[in-house]
Amino acid sequence: QVNLVESGGGSVQAGGSLRLSCAASGFDVMTKCLGWIRTAPGKEPEGIAIIDDDGDTEYIDSVKGRFAIGRDSAKNTLNLQMDNLRPEDTGTYACAADVRYRTCPRRFLRGGSHEFGTHGQGTQVTVSS
């Protein structure tokens, strides 16, 4: 059974950094499509970063250059390093996986995030100005 549990959220001032982690069980994070979904207050969930089994990554424009998605094979975790945070980054962040794919369909970014097969409960990130 696929299970995902996030940790690492919190409150930070603009310009600060946070690192989110997602403990995965039931599959190997190095072999499947993974991603992070953000739900901002009053908005629909949005896929912001994806990573393929071969390590290829893609991001939405607003986080490109500031966020980095990665994996830790020893711990079987998915991570999201977030630097230079902005108030508009505030929201609930959930990790996601789809064991049907090794290469993530690019539609999983942005409004297609609901197509991910599984996601965690999410962790709150609050960025103050």
Side-chain angles (χ1 to χ4, degrees):
Q1 181 178 355
V2 174
N3 194 44
L4 302 168
V5 180
E6 303 90 346
S7 62
S11 297
V12 65
Q13 289 194 326
S17 298
L18 282 173
R19 183 176 178 85
L20 306 183
S21 288
C22 173
S25 58
F27 71 103
D28 183 347
V29 298
M30 303 303 289
T31 66
K32 302 299 181 185
C33 159
L34 303 169
W36 285 93
I37 301 169
R38 177 173 67 194
T39 306
K43 295 188 177 181
E44 293 294 314
E46 176 181 47
I48 62 170
I50 55 175
I51 184 167
D52 299 333
D53 67 320
D54 63 1
D56 279 354
T57 59
E58 283 205 21
Y59 304 87
I60 59 171
D61 287 345
S62 63
V63 308
K64 202 173 294 184
R66 301 186 298 120
F67 290 12
I69 186 172
R71 301 163 298 178
D72 185 325
S73 59
K75 298 179 180 178
N76 207 41
T77 59
L78 173 69
N79 305 305
L80 185 68
Q81 178 66 39
M82 305 186 293
D83 297 322
N84 193 19
L85 283 160
R86 304 168 180 169
E88 54 264 38
D89 294 319
T90 293
T92 301
Y93 286 70
C95 60
D98 201 315
V99 297
R100 297 172 296 174
Y101 302 103
R102 301 179 74 92
T103 299
C104 293
R106 272 24 190 178
R107 65 180 183 274
F108 283 9
L109 282 174
R110 302 175 190 86
S113 62
H114 63 281
E115 295 192 41
F116 268 107
T118 305
H119 59 82
Q121 291 296 307
T123 186
Q124 179 66 32
V125 171
T126 303
V127 185
S128 58
S129 56

